[in-house]
């Protein structure tokens, strides 16, 4: 006995600057002009690292989902590879919004953004800049670079300075970037070296898309200076903050403090770690809350 699929998935590309971002568009079966939520991942991650799991659930609930990979990573274009530019990533979000607003198979007037970790910080920034959005979700968000640097510790931060200096020279001379690991064991040189960081990343790696655990070190000062939580007060639409009570990367106290400044914030806390939300029971709990939130706000705005 055959069953009707709940959604179809399309491979999509869209232009961002001079480059092309790769994406998946999940369209719920039997739903004309569905609302759509855009999904962007965290620090150096690609859409293959469990964004598909969230997108599938949203599509099964009747909401189209658009999961994309930033320029310079995965199968999106952009040189040099593994360049984490906050400015360019935010431009990728803008380009994704513009792309969906122009598509005939979704309702571009009912758009939401969803970001996790570093992407959770981006979703706050993007929502503050796009008042036309209907809703936003910020999952275990990076909200304050200085607070995250303090959580990493001054010794760990100092370890990255020689690599940063080498990469800045390479940038000026047009040479190959000097790389720093995204995640590493405790005490190691990495942007994240909490005990759950490296195992957390490795648990999300897809065999279909090998993961490069490194980025150009020039991103270090921009990460420390990035404070997307400050934009929360300018988010005019409903925004759901999903916060880990035991977050080892993005201190929950800072996140909640910023979240409370958003005029229409909904805050939910969970006893799961920063990297635990993508799998098992923590995933089931958080995705159910997100589906309820998106259904309540996106479907109520039907034309």
């Amino acid at each position: 006995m055959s069953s009707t699929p709940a959604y179809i998935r399309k491979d999509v590309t869209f232009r961002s600057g001079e480059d092309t971002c790769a994406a998946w568009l999940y369209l719920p079966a039997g739903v004309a002009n569905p609302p759509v939520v855009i999904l962007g991942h965290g620090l150096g991650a690609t859409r293959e690292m469990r964004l598909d799991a969230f997108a599938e659930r949203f599509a099964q609930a009747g909401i189209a989902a658009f999961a994309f990979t930033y320029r310079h990573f995965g199968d999106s274009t952009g040189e040099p590879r593994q360049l984490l530019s906050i400015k360019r990533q935010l431009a990728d979000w803008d380009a994704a919004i513009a792309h969906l607003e122009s598509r005939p198979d979704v309702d571009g007037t009912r758009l939401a953004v969803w970001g996790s970790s570093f992407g959770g910080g981006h979703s706050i920034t993007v929502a503050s800049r796009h008042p036309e959005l209907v809703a936003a979700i910020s999952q275990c968000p990076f909200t304050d670079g200085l607070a995250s640097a303090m959580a990493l510790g001054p010794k760990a931060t100092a370890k990255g300075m020689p690599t940063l200096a080498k990469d800045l020279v390479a940038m000026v001379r047009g040479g190959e970037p000097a790389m720093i690991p995204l995640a590493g064991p405790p005490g190691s040189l990495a942007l994240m070296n909490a005990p759950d960081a490296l195992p957390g990343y490795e648990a999300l790696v897809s065999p279909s898309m090998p993961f490069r655990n490194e980025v150009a070190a020039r991103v270090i000062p921009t990460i420390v200076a990035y404070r997307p939580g400050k934009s929360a007060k300018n988010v005019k639409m409903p925004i759901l903050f999903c916060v880990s009570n035991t977050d080892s990367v993005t201190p929950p106290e800072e996140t909640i403090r910023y979240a409370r400044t958003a005029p229409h914030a909904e805050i939910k806390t969970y006893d799961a770690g920063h990297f635990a939300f993508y799998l098992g029971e923590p995933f089931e709990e958080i995705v159910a809350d997100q589906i309820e939130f998106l259904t309540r706000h996106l479907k109520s705005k039907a034309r």
Side-chain angles (χ1 to χ4, degrees):
M1 182 177 179
S2 62
S3 59
T4 303
Y7 59 85
I8 60 171
R9 190 179 89 177
K10 294 183 177 181
D11 292 324
V12 175
T13 59
F14 63 95
R15 297 291 294 177
S16 183
E18 298 299 316
D19 296 302
T20 301
C21 290
W24 292 318
L25 175 62
Y26 292 75
L27 292 171
V31 181
N33 277 351
V36 59
V37 56
I38 305 169
L39 291 85
H41 219 318
L43 202 68
T46 65
R47 68 189 188 282
E48 289 83 7
M49 297 168 72
R50 292 288 289 176
L51 288 195
D52 52 347
F54 286 90
E56 288 169 4
R57 292 299 184 87
F58 298 153
Q60 289 167 359
I63 299 166
F66 189 77
F68 76 95
T69 296
Y70 300 108
R71 284 179 284 175
H72 304 279
F73 293 92
D75 55 351
S76 294
T77 67
E79 295 291 340
R81 304 306 294 165
Q82 303 302 112
L83 175 66
L84 203 166
S85 163
I86 293 172
K87 182 179 179 180
R88 289 189 175 209
Q89 290 194 350
L90 291 173
D92 293 345
W93 280 96
D94 294 340
I97 290 171
H99 174 78
L100 289 166
E101 288 176 337
S102 70
R103 290 188 69 97
D105 49 4
V106 297
D107 184 351
T109 69
R110 290 187 291 158
L111 278 174
V113 291
W114 179 105
S116 186
S117 191
F118 205 65
H122 287 339
S123 69
I124 302 170
T125 303
V126 171
S128 73
R129 296 178 178 182
H130 287 271
E132 74 275 16
L133 295 172
V134 175
I137 294 176
S138 185
Q139 175 175 293
C140 54
F142 173 98
T143 56
D144 191 298
L146 185 58
S148 290
M150 294 299 291
L152 183 65
K155 288 184 178 180
T157 302
K159 281 185 179 180
M161 293 305 101
T163 308
L164 169 61
K166 184 178 178 181
D167 192 41
L168 292 177
V169 171
M171 182 173 63
V172 171
R173 294 180 176 176
E176 286 294 313
M179 298 291 181
I180 185 170
L182 287 160
S188 68
L189 171 62
L191 293 182
M192 295 175 290
N193 63 12
D196 57 341
L198 184 57
Y201 263 65
E202 291 175 338
L204 306 181
V205 173
S206 166
S208 65
M209 179 58 65
F211 173 61
R212 289 182 60 180
N213 182 23
E214 60 182 7
V215 290
R218 67 195 68 172
V219 74
I220 292 173
T222 63
I223 287 178
V224 175
Y226 189 38
R227 306 180 77 184
K230 285 185 165 239
S231 298
K233 63 181 180 296
N234 299 318
V235 176
K236 304 305 181 187
M237 72 287 300
I239 178 170
L240 173 63
F241 290 89
C242 299
V243 184
S244 162
N245 287 326
T246 58
D247 202 310
S248 60
V249 176
T250 57
E253 298 82 8
E254 289 291 320
T255 297
I256 291 173
R257 179 172 65 84
Y258 283 124
R260 286 174 175 160
T261 68
H264 303 289
E266 299 180 31
I267 303 171
K268 289 187 175 291
T269 59
Y270 304 85
D271 293 325
H274 183 88
F275 299 95
F277 287 134
Y278 305 94
L279 299 162
E281 290 184 11
F283 167 74
E284 296 295 341
E285 182 181 4
I286 202 169
V287 78
D289 288 340
Q290 292 172 0
I291 288 170
E292 188 280 329
F293 173 83
L294 291 172
T295 299
R296 179 159 33 98
H297 293 291
L298 286 179
K299 291 190 175 181
S300 66
K301 299 292 184 181
R303 287 185 293 187

